[in-house]
Amino acid sequence: MNSKKKVLISGASIAGPTLGFWLAKYGFEVTIVERSKSLRLGGQNLDVRGAGRAVVRMMGIEKEILAANTGELGLQFVNRNNEVEAEFPAEGNDSFTSEAEILRGDLVNILYDCTKNDVKYVFGKYITAIHQDSDKVEVTFSDNHSEWFHLLIAADGVRSTTRKIIFGNEPELKFLGLYNAWYTIPRIERDTQWARWYTAQRSRVMVLRPDNHGTIRASFSFLSDDEKFLSQSDSEQKKVLKDKLSGAGWEEDRLMKEIDDNNEVYFDGISQVKAPRWFDGRTGMIGDAAYCPTPLTGMGTTLAMVGAYLLAGELYRHDKHEDAFAAYEKRMRPFVEKVQKLPPGVPWLAHPKSKLGVTIVNKAAALLASRPVKMIGKLLSSKEKDVTKDDIELPVFE
């Protein structure tokens, strides 16, 4: 149908390679351009669930993903003395830890390995200009080289520069008033295979999670409506983090020291991408670039992989890209809107200001983790269902 058409994808993280996999399978000529000089293998835990699991199963990489599981046993809520207030094992119905819990970098590697023979990867370049007409898209890269393609798809994340070139300021980045810092720190004796969640006064949360590489993935989040932090330099942002960490207790000293010693502290404001349209002529966007739901939903990876599968299928099924884009959006947008609908009180309820609020959070966690509540959850849950917010049909496009 649409075979041998040239497609350029911007971004070699998760949505881009997944789209490349399916387009190559359907006979398209695919190039993926990535700004970094090599694969970006950093990052925290990802959760492949529901419809996302169905996609990786069809790709033939589910066993590899399960084999790369972080080994996390579940989540413990702890107090400032590191005493466990509540415990959610990995096998629980509403567990924080998924069977398919995998580090972002490990998933990126798996996707690259299963696409590198069928997709052309270009590292160390990015798109600087786009000119399109009725027949093609001419793309200019950062090295001033130009090349034409039939289609261009941005899959380069929530802060996508390609999206900016295509759509300008039309898509809204809806800031949720929450900042998060992620970084990898050395493992020490008191670390276990459990993830540990600590809630501190002044709307602060620390989470330490074990990985399968012998280190610990740390995150620190805090509430603030001040958006100026986003435009600050790395050194200024580190000062903000240390100021916000000060007085938090628990692993405060350890995380504080690592902020100074670590060159890979990723700090960002948590935002959703709200875009009235995902396509313009022969260009478009998928994944976080188009509809980031925030890490708070646990559904970003699923949206990225499901969206990539569906877009490739619609492009294969339709002779005209306009029809494919329309069919894709009709199928995908209701799913995106449902996933982006955050529960009431998120993220504020999990980030209390007062000592009383911290106590309430820990007591509520203990109640949810209690045996009677767990038994009720088992009775109400479907044993066949590993889907959350996943009412979306995945058609077969063969």
Side-chain angles (χ1 to χ4, degrees):
M1 292 183 180
N2 284 294
S3 60
K4 302 308 176 187
K5 284 192 175 179
K6 293 176 60 178
V7 181
L8 176 65
I9 301 168
S10 175
S13 183
I14 294 166
T18 304
L19 178 60
F21 174 92
W22 290 105
L23 287 177
K25 179 179 174 67
Y26 297 142
F28 290 75
E29 183 182 334
V30 183
T31 299
I32 296 180
V33 61
E34 167 59 46
R35 178 186 293 262
S36 299
K37 294 181 179 180
S38 60
L39 291 175
R40 293 183 298 110
L41 300 178
Q44 301 290 308
N45 297 48
L46 299 178
D47 183 358
V48 186
R49 64 175 72 175
R53 276 290 282 280
V55 171
V56 301
R57 196 170 296 138
M58 289 187 286
M59 294 173 73
I61 58 174
E62 183 182 31
K63 289 183 179 179
E64 291 180 67
I65 289 173
L66 293 177
N69 187 283
T70 61
E72 187 173 284
L73 297 178
L75 173 68
Q76 295 173 331
F77 277 73
V78 299
N79 59 29
R80 66 185 300 119
N81 297 318
N82 204 38
E83 299 164 336
V84 177
E85 299 276 354
E87 189 170 275
F88 298 87
E91 66 270 14
N93 295 311
D94 295 315
S95 175
F96 182 76
T97 304
S98 162
E99 179 191 19
E101 198 81 37
I102 185 172
L103 293 176
R104 178 195 166 278
D106 290 345
L107 181 55
V108 167
N109 249 333
I110 291 171
L111 290 170
Y112 175 72
D113 285 343
C114 75
T115 55
K116 63 184 179 183
N117 294 328
D118 302 306
V119 171
K120 178 183 178 183
Y121 281 84
V122 179
F123 292 100
K125 289 171 62 172
Y126 56 92
I127 297 168
T128 57
I130 296 167
H131 175 74
Q132 62 173 315
D133 56 32
S134 59
D135 298 318
K136 62 185 182 302
V137 183
E138 186 175 2
V139 177
T140 303
F141 296 98
S142 52
D143 61 357
N144 292 322
H145 168 73
S146 294
E147 190 174 348
W148 69 267
F149 300 87
H150 290 105
L151 299 171
L152 164 64
I153 304 296
D156 45 353
V158 64
R159 306 284 173 188
S160 169
T161 56
T162 311
R163 178 186 65 215
K164 180 80 172 179
I165 295 171
I166 299 172
F167 296 100
N169 294 322
E170 181 180 283
E172 176 194 2
L173 262 69
K174 183 182 177 183
F175 178 53
L176 299 185
L178 175 68
Y179 283 95
N180 210 325
W182 297 271
Y183 46 111
T184 302
I185 64 177
R187 188 182 179 98
I188 60 175
E189 188 175 347
R190 65 174 170 268
D191 293 320
T192 69
Q193 285 306 111
W194 286 85
R196 292 178 293 154
W197 176 302
Y198 170 70
T199 307
Q201 297 177 52
R202 287 172 43 199
S203 304
R204 297 170 291 177
V205 169
M206 298 181 217
V207 181
L208 299 185
R209 307 186 72 173
D211 63 25
N212 52 327
H213 295 276
T215 51
I216 296 292
R217 307 293 164 133
S219 72
F220 170 61
S221 60
F222 62 90
L223 295 181
S224 175
D225 291 324
D226 193 341
E227 295 187 47
K228 72 180 181 184
F229 302 146
L230 293 173
S231 58
Q232 291 181 334
S233 67
D234 289 347
S235 60
E236 289 173 326
Q237 289 178 345
K238 286 188 173 186
K239 288 179 181 178
V240 170
L241 287 175
K242 289 192 289 185
D243 176 65
K244 295 296 182 180
L245 261 173
S246 180
W250 191 50
E251 298 275 12
E252 169 196 343
D253 293 341
R254 181 181 176 191
L255 268 64
M256 189 86 76
K257 177 181 182 298
E258 288 298 329
I259 288 175
D260 285 326
D261 296 346
N262 200 307
N263 293 323
E264 295 185 358
V265 177
Y266 179 75
F267 177 62
D268 198 7
I270 303 301
S271 303
Q272 289 188 331
V273 177
K274 301 279 192 175
R277 59 192 176 121
W278 297 334
F279 303 98
D280 178 63
R282 291 182 169 272
T283 66
M285 56 184 177
I286 62 167
D288 279 356
Y291 36 73
C292 175
T294 79
L296 302 175
T297 66
M299 291 289 288
T301 304
T302 290
L303 281 187
M305 302 192 87
V306 169
Y309 171 75
L310 291 177
L311 179 57
E314 297 296 356
L315 287 168
Y316 170 69
R317 186 160 65 176
H318 292 86
D319 290 324
K320 295 182 178 179
H321 66 274
E322 299 96 335
D323 296 336
F325 289 163
Y328 169 79
E329 188 152 353
K330 183 178 180 181
R331 190 185 298 274
M332 189 70 183
R333 190 170 282 276
F335 181 38
V336 167
E337 290 176 350
K338 184 171 184 179
V339 170
Q340 287 190 330
K341 195 170 293 184
L342 299 174
V346 172
W348 304 280
L349 286 179
H351 292 76
K353 291 182 179 180
S354 66
K355 183 178 181 180
L356 175 62
V358 171
T359 300
I360 291 172
V361 165
N362 288 334
K363 295 296 184 185
L367 176 63
L368 290 172
S370 65
R371 186 176 180 84
V373 173
K374 283 183 177 180
M375 291 179 66
I376 293 171
K378 286 182 179 179
L379 291 173
L380 295 177
S381 66
S382 166
K383 292 182 180 179
E384 300 297 322
K385 192 175 182 183
D386 68 339
V387 177
T388 56
K389 298 182 179 178
D390 272 15
D391 338 60
I392 184 167
E393 180 186 358
L394 294 180
V396 177
F397 294 105
E398 298 289 350

